[in-house]
Amino acid sequence: MAAVDAHAEELLLGLNDQQRAAVVHPGGPLLVIAGAGSGKTRVLTHRVAWLVRTGQASLGEILAVTFTNKAAAELRERVGTLLGRSTRGLWVSTFHSACARIMRVEAERLGYTRQFTIYDADDAKRLVKRVLESQGADTRRFTPNAVAGRISEHKNRLRSVEQAAEQAAGFYDRTIVDAYRGYQAQLVANNAMDFDDLLGRTVDVLERYPEVRERYRNAFRHVLVDEYQDTNPAQYRLLQLLCMDDPMHLAPRDAGAEAHGADPDGFGPLAGEEPGHRNLMVVGDDAQSIYGFRSADIRNILDFEQDFPDAEVIRLEQNYRSTQRILDTANAVIANNRDQRPKRLWTDQGTGDPVRVRALPDDHVESRWVVGEIERLAGEGVPLGQMAVLYRTNGLSRLVETALTQADLAYQVIGGVRFFDRAEVKDALAYLQWLLNPANTVAFARIVNRPRRGIGDTTVGRLLAHAEALGVTPLQVIDEPAAAGLKTAAVRSVGRFAEQAAELRATMEAGATVADLLEAILKVTGYRAELEASSDPLDEGRVENLDQLHAFAQEFDAEDAAAYPDEERATLRPLDRFLQSTALLSDADQAEEAATGRVTLMTLHNAKGLEYDAVFLVGCEDGIFPHSRAIDAGELEEERRLCYVGLTRARKHLALTWARRRALYGPPQPQVPSRFLRELPVESLDEQSPEALSGAVQPTPRPRFERDAPGARSGGIGSIARGRGTGAGRSLADLGLRRGSEIGSAGRAAAADAEAAPTFSVGARVRHGKFGEGDVVAADDEVIVVHFDDHGERRLIAGFARLEAV
DNA sequence: TTCTCGGCTCGACTT
DNA sequence: GAGCCGAGAA
């Protein structure tokens, strides 16, 4: 280690032994298991500052990866404070932002231009839909949403189209692979990358081009990763490529037995050895791994020592946030998980108030109770900005918002419909995207008839087909619309659009600022005028949103003009950077600091990494939390970790509520308390809580088998049973199910493999979470009865009784 | 051919 | 409550 002067020693003041050990770690792979509230951000910031101050690395040689842009900004600021100087040159960003930045430089090697567009989930879905339609797939069975999800999973596991095709068995998988192939081709043709591509293509470019790999391996002498428990296989591979010895001979996670690097193009391994710096420090908590649905792999953190030989492991187990009662509660819940690293969190913050559980008669009363408690705590001096209401799904925020409004309390909602996801904002951004990247057909299709210009789906289809046939962009087609086979009316409409596009392109080429270009779009197209002339009261809000976007663009222009010129700036326009930053902003990035004096409402996922004096966890009902689809898919451990995340956000006050009746979609339904409530340790709860738990634990008796009159109860058992009857005589075993199989995981696997999947219906009802003891579900002509076992898990206990002539 | 309207279905978490 | 589809009007 370099000489440690007194100046550097200062950085170690106030750290506990474990934190200090992590900060001064001499080098090589390091895993810091950081329990909730154990000061991991401190460790990360001090580590970066330590590396710089002891001369082990300059700022420009450090890459720090965080989970959100906001966390990145915070990290950067705190490092700046510690060092007492500018942090220019330090790479601190999300995986996606870092990859986007690399791809802006390297994209041309892979057949994209530097102006490539980043597709968000919505854009991706639209493109998937178009591909499915063009391939003649049944989009009712293969919904764009589900298919996009499967494609995303392939990509996050770094499976190429070819690899996915090799593994595909059965009609279902093959349809997915066909969609994957078509979708990927369209992305390239559109000069666009989706979120997964940002990671995957960066891995590609590093694997295929030794000189590129060498450049980035040398550039980052130290790599630090926050929230490591939520990294996916693609991110894991990226870290291998950046840090480890001979990365081309290491097997990526989940790629099967074959080692990577055998590239058909002959790129790949260097002839000689590639020694890596191996300075990889990862920080995380396996108990807080909650992004499995995004293909995060908890094995990354559980298997770190095997993956990175002679790694050092440091545990941070002292919690500086919560009272002992809150920690006991969280510890008791997470103890029900099997797959985890054992740890004992402790605190010296004192016992604290008991945790409270309340059962309320319905969702309205629940909201009012929570708001009443917020008022009470506010009266005791807890600032509103130090209180949060958390829930599993965004839909639960509405009633709490209403109650807060009635009580005249200020609040902010994080998440829900993102600002950048609003239709009018996306329209405006799509204009910008298309002006910059005319190959972007998703943006083109979005804006060509918005505002209405008399260019309908038929015309758009012809234009796109014509462009594809010629191998040109839509921009090159609209100037001669007659060539695409359009009639006079459509020709005139498209002609007007072409004139507007030409005018806007001229404005862009003349070097207009982003804000001015945006303004030109809204004016030239008549977009704003139409909204302003509208009688729809919602359109007023839309105009406001566009004004807000304009203000955002102005702010961007000002900051961008003042920024330090570097290599990236030399080759990219401000508009490029603007679109990139808007594409990668997330909900959590909008969260304002607590000091703003407003109650915060958000999902449990968005609450990761935050803390509040008082936390209310509402909607603790089976089917909501844990979510019915998670129960169905056998993802209870992840739901439990989500619960752990929620509980550990609280410093002093923690309350959990459930409603006996709740109207979520449609009329109010009776609810059952969350199974997680039963895992809370009674010793930590107040005296009223047990009552709230004993409420309705007994399963409600239900008819064992009912067959409704057609249409009497949509989604009911009757509707599932109707219309089946092919594949007679199949047993549970034929369906890949056994007595005691968990509904959903096995059922889904069976459905995926079976050629006869269209008639497979186990879980159709289960997935909606509205079934109970004694319910009957039909699988082809088999009938399966649902029972609760001792653990309260829903399982298939018996499969019998041929269902004849339904 | 485009647009509007009523009836239908379908509902997680997110870079 | 929002998005999609088909029917019918412009």
Side-chain angles (χ1 to χ4, degrees), chain A residues 167-243:
Chain A
Q167 294 175 20
F171 172 71
Y172 187 86
D173 282 358
R174 284 200 301 275
T175 308
I176 300 288
V177 169
D178 289 343
Y180 181 11
R181 182 177 291 114
Y183 170 71
Q184 208 54 38
Q186 280 297 313
L187 280 177
V188 174
N190 282 262
N191 193 26
M193 296 191 204
D194 61 18
F195 286 143
D196 307 322
D197 276 338
L198 293 175
L199 305 174
R201 299 293 76 76
T202 302
V203 166
D204 279 349
V205 88
L206 291 175
E207 286 184 345
R208 293 178 53 173
Y209 297 92
E211 72 275 20
V212 176
R213 186 162 71 240
E214 213 43 40
R215 180 144 45 85
Y216 288 98
R217 283 161 69 86
N218 287 331
F220 306 124
R221 310 292 305 165
H222 284 266
V223 176
L224 298 85
V225 183
D226 193 11
E227 309 283 10
Y228 185 67
Q229 75 280 359
D230 284 319
T231 50
N232 64 32
Q235 292 161 339
Y236 173 91
R237 179 67 182 147
L238 206 53
L239 295 176
Q240 280 185 332
L241 287 164
L242 287 177
C243 304

Side-chain angles (χ1 to χ4, degrees), chain A residues 628 664-665 669 671 702 713 715 765-772 775 794:
Chain A
S628 54
L664 200 47
Y665 315 110
Q669 298 286 334
Q671 299 289 328
R702 298 208 191 176
R713 222 178 95 192
R765 179 172 158 78
V766 176
R767 220 163 281 142
H768 291 91
K770 304 248 175 71
F771 73 111
D775 267 3
R794 285 152 183 189

Side-chain angles (χ1 to χ4, degrees), chain A residues 612-695:
Chain A
Y612 296 88
D613 281 347
V615 167
F616 297 87
L617 180 48
V618 301
C620 295
E621 295 136 45
D622 253 32
I624 292 176
F625 186 41
H627 196 275
S628 54
R629 289 169 76 147
I631 300 172
D632 164 32
E635 292 159 358
L636 277 174
E637 296 219 337
E638 177 148 320
E639 294 285 296
R640 197 174 278 114
R641 293 192 291 267
L642 194 53
C643 185
Y644 179 82
V645 168
L647 302 179
T648 52
R649 297 311 96 196
R651 289 198 199 100
K652 298 178 188 139
H653 310 282
L654 175 61
L656 300 91
T657 61
W658 70 279
R660 293 179 199 277
R661 288 175 70 78
R662 179 180 303 276
L664 200 47
Y665 315 110
Q669 298 286 334
Q671 299 289 328
V672 172
S674 169
R675 60 192 69 193
F676 297 148
L677 292 180
R678 275 176 269 152
E679 297 174 1
L680 304 176
V682 182
E683 317 83 72
S684 304
L685 308 179
D686 75 345
E687 64 283 357
Q688 280 185 60
S689 294
E691 189 189 324
L693 289 171
S694 62

Side-chain angles (χ1 to χ4, degrees), chain A residues 165 210 300 321:
Chain A
N300 282 356
R321 180 186 296 158

Side-chain angles (χ1 to χ4, degrees), chain A residues 70 383-387 409-414 590-601 612:
Chain A
K70 181 164 175 261
L384 289 181
Q386 279 304 330
M387 298 195 247
L409 292 175
Y411 67 89
Q412 62 169 341
V413 185
I414 312 298
Q590 314 160 21
E592 290 177 35
E593 293 312 313
T596 53
R598 299 194 284 167
V599 180
T600 301
L601 278 59
Y612 296 88

